[in-house]
């Protein structure tokens, strides 16, 4: 299967959340009821559209609500290259 490299990290995570939710046969409203700080399906919808970054704590809460790991939710996200730093040792 070909990987779509044009998707952003939030879009990949959103897709993983949708897959996990649908695998359980849940609607967005069902997920919202299981998520401690989400009050409506509209909030779940915003996350599932993948248009904004999420804090690690939010990912942890989604993982808890979906009974999976954060690693499951970030599966497919490529790490951003980090610039090399030079450190002078005296």
């Amino acid at each position: 299967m070909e990987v779509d490299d044009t998707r952003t990290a939030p879009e990949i995570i959103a897709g993983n959340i949708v897959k996990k939710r649908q695998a359980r046969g849940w609607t967005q409203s069902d997920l919202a009821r299981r998520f401690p700080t989400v009050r409506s399906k509209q909030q779940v919808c915003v996350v599932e559209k993948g248009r904004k970054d999420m804090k690690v704590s939010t990912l942890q809460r989604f993982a808890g609500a979906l009974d999976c790991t954060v690693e499951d939710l970030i599966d497919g996200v490529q790490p951003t290259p980090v610039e090399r730093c030079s450190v002078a040792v005296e």
Side-chain angles (χ1 to χ4, degrees):
M1 181 166 69
E2 193 172 308
V3 176
D4 180 1
D5 291 334
T6 62
R7 294 186 303 157
T8 65
E11 290 169 337
I12 293 168
I13 293 167
N16 291 339
I17 289 171
V18 171
K19 286 178 195 171
K20 294 287 183 188
R21 176 180 59 75
Q22 290 176 341
R24 285 160 179 72
W26 296 349
T27 65
Q28 289 176 336
S29 295
D30 294 332
L31 179 54
R33 282 192 291 277
R34 289 169 174 81
F35 196 89
T37 58
V38 172
R39 302 288 182 242
S40 69
K41 88 168 196 169
Q42 286 79 16
Q43 288 174 297
V44 171
C45 183
V46 167
V47 168
E48 288 188 356
K49 286 184 180 181
R51 294 198 178 127
K52 61 187 250 181
D53 291 327
M54 279 190 277
K55 295 179 183 179
V56 172
S57 60
T58 303
L59 282 171
Q60 290 170 325
R61 288 193 291 269
F62 266 99
L66 291 164
D67 194 30
C68 66
T69 65
V70 170
E71 289 81 8
D72 292 331
L73 298 182
I74 64 171
D75 185 48
V77 174
Q78 296 299 313
T80 305
V82 178
E83 289 187 44
R84 291 188 174 195
C85 300
S86 61
V87 177
V89 179
E90 294 180 27

